[in-house]
Amino acid sequence: MPGFETYDVADGGEKQDAVSRVVTYILHASESGPFSPGERLPNEAELCAAVGVSRTPVREAVKILEAVGLLEVRRGVGTFLRQNSVAALGQLLLFQREAARTSPRHLYETRLMVERTAAQLLAQSRVQADVDALREVNERLRALALTGTATVDELAQADIAFHVAIYDRCQNELIGSLGRFVTALFAPWIRKSLERGGGLRAARNHDLLIGMIEVQNAGGASEAAVDRVVEEGLDHWQETLRDPA
């Protein structure tokens, strides 16, 4: 099986976060080999070894690429590159390459556009189970932050899980898929925002968003989706964001 090659997601040449690395690996292996349409991908353990990550980001990356039509997961059989994946692959690679050339501000604005729409849709259609699920995911983030020993990567994974829960429940699979993909690309700067503002502040922001969704205030949910920590500091530390740790 081929070794892992690191691809850049933004100016600065730093490694991507774990989910983005897996997405990039599969995209480039599908574009230039060794993966071919209709072929089964390496299993989960092999992908973990190839990219150098744990099982969780591999599973998340597969979910993203399955949702956008590149992969087909056959339960009990394996994960396959779809026969008609050429169009989806081309669009994803184009988007990824544009993302690599764009500014952190533009990438953030793209993520915000998608997340605001997802939050609005969820506020309009939510049932109590949606609200309960969001609260449960957010409490995991809060509990991690309160330990005082959680790493930034652990906080980022919990933070991203909250946003993914919104995408999964917004009742629009296309917006959900795009949201997952953009969030994977933006993950290095989510880590930066957590370094700047901390996990408790992120959880409090999520509380506001959950409240707006619960009372079905679509406009309020859209406004609450803004990541204030990123928004307040983005222009000031633009150069730092080009070189995410």
Side-chain angles (χ1 to χ4, degrees):
M1 185 174 55
F4 171 65
E5 181 179 358
T6 298
Y7 300 95
D8 297 334
V9 72
D11 293 340
E14 294 295 324
K15 291 181 180 178
Q16 301 171 335
D17 80 292
V19 176
S20 297
R21 286 166 60 194
V22 180
V23 168
T24 299
Y25 176 80
I26 294 173
L27 288 180
H28 285 267
S30 301
E31 178 190 34
S32 57
F35 305 156
S36 301
E39 181 178 312
R40 187 172 67 179
L41 269 62
N43 63 33
E44 195 174 83
E46 290 170 331
L47 285 173
C48 290
V51 186
V53 298
S54 66
R55 292 178 182 269
T56 298
V58 168
R59 290 168 183 167
E60 186 62 29
V62 168
K63 286 180 183 178
I64 292 169
L65 295 176
E66 180 186 23
V68 297
L70 183 69
L71 301 180
E72 178 186 359
V73 177
R74 302 176 192 169
R75 306 302 172 190
V77 179
T79 300
F80 294 78
L81 187 62
R82 287 186 180 274
Q83 288 283 1
N84 57 346
S85 62
V86 175
L89 176 61
Q91 290 300 314
L92 287 172
L93 287 168
L94 178 62
F95 185 87
Q96 189 181 52
R97 286 164 183 159
E98 288 298 322
R101 290 193 291 265
T102 195
S103 68
R105 164 66 66 179
H106 288 172
L107 187 56
Y108 169 70
E109 289 169 350
T110 302
R111 179 203 172 202
L112 184 59
M113 176 188 70
V114 178
E115 182 138 351
R116 279 181 150 176
T117 301
Q120 285 179 314
L121 290 172
L122 182 53
Q124 292 165 358
S125 65
R126 70 93 179 144
V127 295
Q128 189 58 43
D130 296 324
V131 178
D132 293 343
L134 292 178
R135 285 207 171 102
E136 181 180 351
V137 175
N138 196 38
E139 285 308 311
R140 291 188 204 128
L141 171 60
R142 197 189 318 274
L144 268 176
L146 285 171
T147 66
T149 60
T151 66
V152 173
D153 283 343
E154 290 171 334
L155 292 173
Q157 185 174 353
D159 188 297
I160 289 170
F162 175 81
H163 298 284
V164 168
I166 292 176
Y167 297 137
D168 284 348
R169 293 173 175 272
C170 75
Q171 303 299 313
N172 186 311
E173 65 278 4
L174 296 178
I175 290 173
S177 298
L178 183 58
R180 281 172 169 270
F181 192 69
V182 173
T183 298
L185 293 176
F186 196 74
W189 297 291
I190 293 175
R191 292 204 309 271
K192 280 289 185 182
S193 74
L194 288 165
E195 288 175 356
R196 180 182 174 88
L200 287 177
R201 181 170 180 177
R204 287 194 296 269
N205 288 344
H206 295 170
D207 287 335
L208 177 59
L209 177 52
I210 293 169
M212 292 298 175
I213 290 171
E214 183 171 27
V215 299
Q216 297 187 295
N217 183 336
S222 174
E223 180 61 24
V226 176
D227 189 333
R228 300 295 179 187
V229 181
V230 175
E231 184 70 29
E232 291 166 7
L234 192 57
D235 290 328
H236 178 70
W237 38 285
Q238 182 88 5
E239 291 303 316
T240 302
L241 283 176
R242 288 199 180 99
D243 189 25

